[in-house]
Amino acid sequence: MKLSVIVIGYNSWHYLESCFASLSFIQENADNEIIYVDNGSTDNTVKEIKNHFPSVIIIENHKNLGISKARNHGIAQAKGEYLWLLDSDTETSREVCNTMLAFMDSHPEVGLCGCRLVGNNGKPQASCRRFPTISEKWNAMWRIILKRPKLDIQYDLEQTAPFRVDYVIGACQMFRRMVLEKVGSLDEHFFFAEDADFCRRITMAGYQIFYLPQVSMYHFYQRVSTQKPFSKVSRKHLTDLIYYFWKWK
């Protein structure tokens, strides 16, 4: 099998309907599969998917296990040569998929890639980033507390040719099955911030991480933690960061 698309969600049918509709081209090819991991939804998400997208493989968790554990459930079942992680609030296209696959096929030194993500305002999001530092996250925290958040742009997003980055966010990550044999699956100690850690481990295994700005897809981008800086979700983000900095010293 060539490609396994893995999507996770929690009470996300209002996003998933558009997400799966945009992936209709995947289901045209028997050499591809779509796996959905439900994180304990209490609405009709699973029922709606079964009714509208019967070819989607569904894995049901009884509670919200977080991003890493849920995605690992999908990764464990995936059969593709390439695995493509997508957030539930994304909408993609055949062009995006074919471009990313062609790039990976022709660049064996690249372990993982992502593409340009665009939001409601039509502008590119900061979806390619440098590895987190304590000073950067400290400053970001105070900007949130003071209600002065800003887009954390660390690379030139106006570039049009693929370029190497530290990591791309987990909303859109395509990687080789082969990298799992070297680095393992996502670190389940993380509830959210698994993407930087995963890319760092891939880099240390000798692969490169690339950002492909020549193709773009829609990403609603739910910034819950910045909307409510002292919420339970924000505390989980902080716990993840503490673990990340401890892990990588």
Side-chain angles (χ1 to χ4, degrees):
M1 182 168 285
K2 184 68 173 182
L3 177 66
S4 297
V5 182
I6 300 171
V7 182
I8 69 170
Y10 171 71
N11 292 339
S12 304
W13 173 243
H14 52 297
Y15 292 119
L16 287 166
E17 183 174 13
S18 297
C19 178
F20 287 138
S22 75
L23 288 166
S24 59
F25 66 92
I26 293 289
Q27 301 168 67
E28 297 171 3
N29 190 336
D31 204 28
N32 300 328
E33 64 180 356
I34 301 176
I35 299 172
Y36 171 69
V37 184
D38 188 78
N39 245 346
S41 294
T42 56
D43 61 3
N44 292 321
T45 293
V46 172
K47 179 181 178 181
E48 295 289 354
I49 293 172
K50 289 179 178 178
N51 288 338
H52 292 84
F53 305 99
S55 63
V56 172
I57 300 167
I58 299 176
I59 301 172
E60 294 186 65
N61 294 327
H62 297 298
K63 63 179 181 178
N64 191 342
L65 301 178
I67 293 174
S68 299
K69 289 183 179 180
R71 281 183 169 156
N72 278 345
H73 288 175
I75 288 170
Q77 186 159 328
K79 301 179 180 69
E81 174 188 354
Y82 293 105
L83 282 68
W84 191 12
L85 304 181
L86 289 175
D87 272 2
S88 59
D89 57 353
T90 57
E91 297 174 26
T92 189
S93 68
R94 189 189 303 270
E95 179 190 15
V96 170
C97 180
N98 289 344
T99 299
M100 294 176 73
L101 282 174
F103 183 84
M104 296 296 284
D105 279 340
S106 60
H107 294 81
E109 73 280 6
V110 176
L112 181 150
C113 74
C115 74
R116 185 190 299 270
L117 300 181
V118 177
N120 287 329
N121 59 7
K123 296 181 180 179
Q125 298 169 349
S127 55
C128 57
R129 301 176 182 175
R130 302 189 188 281
F131 291 128
T133 64
I134 293 177
S135 60
E136 170 228 334
K137 291 301 178 182
W138 177 261
N139 291 334
M141 180 190 72
W142 279 107
R143 288 200 305 270
I144 293 170
I145 292 173
L146 297 174
K147 297 183 179 180
R148 298 174 184 173
K150 66 177 181 179
L151 189 61
D152 190 17
I153 297 176
Q154 300 173 335
Y155 290 98
D156 179 7
L157 299 183
E158 298 302 318
Q159 297 184 60
T160 57
F163 58 93
R164 189 174 179 180
V165 297
D166 282 357
Y167 79 101
V168 294
I169 65 172
C172 174
Q173 291 182 332
M174 183 180 289
F175 59 92
R176 305 177 188 279
R177 170 176 296 280
M178 193 180 302
V179 305
L180 296 173
E181 299 173 5
K182 293 190 175 182
V183 308
S185 53
L186 304 178
D187 186 339
E188 295 187 358
H189 286 92
F190 291 103
F191 194 90
F192 291 110
E194 82 299 333
D195 43 13
D197 173 79
F198 189 48
C199 288
R200 190 160 193 161
R201 287 156 52 206
I202 292 173
T203 300
M204 293 185 71
Y207 290 100
Q208 297 175 6
I209 310 296
F210 260 75
Y211 175 75
L212 280 56
Q214 69 268 40
V215 287
S216 61
M217 54 185 281
Y218 175 76
H219 181 214
F220 183 78
Y221 203 21
Q222 306 169 68
R223 293 299 299 270
V224 178
S225 62
T226 60
Q227 296 168 8
K228 300 177 180 179
F230 298 106
S231 67
K232 181 179 179 180
V233 173
S234 295
R235 293 196 297 272
K236 285 185 179 294
H237 273 285
L238 178 59
T239 301
D240 277 6
L241 282 172
I242 292 171
Y243 172 68
Y244 176 90
F245 291 129
W246 172 84
K247 179 177 180 178
W248 295 105
K249 303 296 186 289

